[in-house]
Amino acid sequence: MHFDLYNKQRSLTMPRLALIPVLVAAALLTACSKGDKEAKASQAAASVNGQEVTVHQINLVLERQPGLKPEQVDAASRQVLEGLIDQEIAVQKAEEEKMDRDPKIVQLLDAQRRNILARAYLEKTSTAAIGSPTPDEVKKYFDAKPGLFSQRRIYMLQEFTVQGTAEETKALQAKLESAPDVPAFAQALKDSGLKFGVNQVTQPAESLPLNLIDRIAALKDGQALYEQGNGGMKAVLVVASRPQPLTFDQSKPLIERFLTETKRQEWLQKRVKELRAEAKVDYIGKFAEKPASGASGASAPAAATPAPAATPAPAASPASGLDADALSKGLSGLK
């Protein structure tokens, strides 16, 4: 079990350089589907040394930014355009230096092309195969995950990493479990004399690791989860929480997207196995040798399969009603 609770959320406003991987894919796809010059000119958004950047290129990038709200489209379009302009300038310089003829770069471009084609095939076929979740499936998931929906809470959490022997940390855990409130928890931790570090965060239930949602939902304020390990212990303390439930109608589109993506991943794994069974694959040279004991068999490249969604993700409301300062103070004097 891992308590990975504190990775910062990525901003919707990405730096232009962060768009480069998406822009590379967009450029490759655009290169495969250029229309005649007149059609392209009618969709021009900018010109860089006579080479036009089109609205189609912008839209292609925007399609790969899920969750974009209608009111954000105009600003996002301008941001993407600036990124495409930067890209076009760099591409022109690279072509001037004949970098597009460099064998390594040619290989990278071909790898990108193959990856895009593989993903396109799998996405297209999976969309046609899986269909939509049934109303019963959606309702069943809603009822099975009260911590995500009907009993959803916004949590103020602190994660402690405590150093010590197994005997020391088990004795400490017993004391922490009997602590009646947060101040008593803090005092027991300080009195132990063990070294520890602390991280803190405020986040909604859907931002928790999926395997911890139900366990943390069962905790009251002042209670914690514990994990004993080699050389120490981890504890996740619910400092405070506030109910912020979602109705079934609010949850329905989130659950539908999540179940659709889950079905897609299951179908993709099955389909890739079927394709491998149908294909004639011959291993050559050293790869023809039997793999060492314990080595797993080859499988389709991970990059060719769309990444799954971890859990439905309602946006955290900034007006959650939690005191932002309360978490920063947390267990006072612990750091």
Side-chain angles (χ1 to χ4, degrees), residues 9-14:
Q9 297 294 324
R10 297 180 66 185
S11 170
L12 286 175
T13 306
M14 297 182 296

Side-chain angles (χ1 to χ4, degrees), residues 50-335:
Q51 181 64 40
E52 291 168 345
V53 178
T54 70
V55 174
H56 294 307
Q57 289 173 278
I58 296 172
N59 292 339
L60 192 61
V61 177
L62 291 178
E63 288 172 4
R64 284 154 177 78
Q65 294 188 26
L68 198 63
K69 298 178 181 179
E71 61 269 23
Q72 296 174 316
V73 171
D74 185 63
S77 298
R78 293 180 181 277
Q79 182 184 14
V80 170
L81 174 59
E82 295 303 322
L84 286 168
I85 290 171
D86 291 345
Q87 181 196 56
E88 179 60 34
I89 292 170
V91 166
Q92 290 179 17
K93 290 298 182 182
E95 289 176 342
E96 286 178 11
E97 297 182 15
K98 303 189 185 304
M99 293 179 66
D100 54 329
R101 302 181 188 180
D102 184 300
K104 290 184 178 180
I105 294 177
V106 171
Q107 288 180 341
L108 287 173
L109 291 171
D110 183 60
Q112 284 278 6
R113 174 183 172 276
R114 292 165 60 82
N115 178 46
I116 291 169
L117 286 173
R119 289 178 64 93
Y121 168 77
L122 292 173
E123 289 178 0
K124 179 180 179 180
T125 52
S126 65
T127 299
I130 62 176
S132 301
T134 67
D136 287 344
E137 289 174 326
V138 175
K139 186 63 166 62
K140 183 178 179 180
Y141 192 87
F142 177 86
D143 293 338
K145 297 292 182 181
L148 271 176
F149 305 113
S150 61
Q151 299 174 22
R152 174 177 177 263
R153 288 190 281 169
I154 308 296
Y155 294 97
M156 300 167 63
L157 302 172
Q158 288 187 330
E159 180 184 37
F160 300 90
T161 302
V162 184
Q163 299 177 26
T165 65
E167 292 77 13
E168 290 172 332
T169 55
K170 286 179 181 178
L172 174 60
Q173 179 176 337
K175 293 179 180 179
L176 295 177
E177 287 175 339
S178 63
D181 51 32
V182 172
F185 184 101
Q187 192 61 48
L189 191 55
K190 290 194 290 186
D191 290 346
S192 71
L194 299 178
K195 293 182 178 180
F196 63 89
V198 58
N199 286 313
Q200 53 193 16
V201 71
T202 299
Q203 60 187 18
E206 64 273 8
S207 295
L208 299 171
L210 190 58
N211 64 321
L212 294 183
I213 290 173
D214 292 339
R215 297 180 62 194
I216 290 181
L219 299 177
K220 297 178 181 179
D221 293 355
Q223 294 182 330
L225 293 181
Y226 302 91
E227 176 190 8
Q228 294 286 342
N230 294 330
M233 174 186 77
K234 285 190 177 182
V236 174
L237 174 69
V238 179
V239 179
S241 65
R242 176 182 175 85
Q244 196 173 82
L246 295 175
T247 66
F248 178 72
D249 287 340
Q250 290 174 317
S251 306
K252 185 178 177 181
L254 305 169
I255 296 173
E256 288 175 341
R257 288 199 296 270
F258 174 70
L259 293 180
T260 297
E261 188 59 31
T262 300
K263 286 185 176 183
R264 185 191 306 278
Q265 294 306 311
E266 293 172 351
W267 185 90
L268 287 172
Q269 292 179 9
K270 179 181 177 183
R271 182 55 180 156
V272 168
K273 289 181 180 179
E274 291 173 349
L275 290 172
R276 286 185 63 86
E278 295 169 2
K280 184 178 183 298
V281 180
D282 296 316
Y283 293 96
I284 301 171
K286 68 177 183 179
F287 298 103
E289 301 172 4
K290 186 176 180 180
S293 178
S296 60
S299 62
T305 305
T311 180
S317 169
S320 61
L322 290 173
D323 179 5
D325 291 334
L327 182 60
S328 62
K329 295 174 184 175
L331 305 181
S332 59
L334 284 181
K335 286 191 176 181

Side-chain angles (χ1 to χ4, degrees), residues 4-27:
D4 297 325
L5 302 175
Y6 303 99
N7 290 328
K8 292 183 178 179
Q9 297 294 324
R10 297 180 66 185
S11 170
L12 286 175
T13 306
M14 297 182 296
R16 293 210 295 256
L17 289 179
L19 289 170
I20 288 178
V22 179
L23 296 175
V24 169

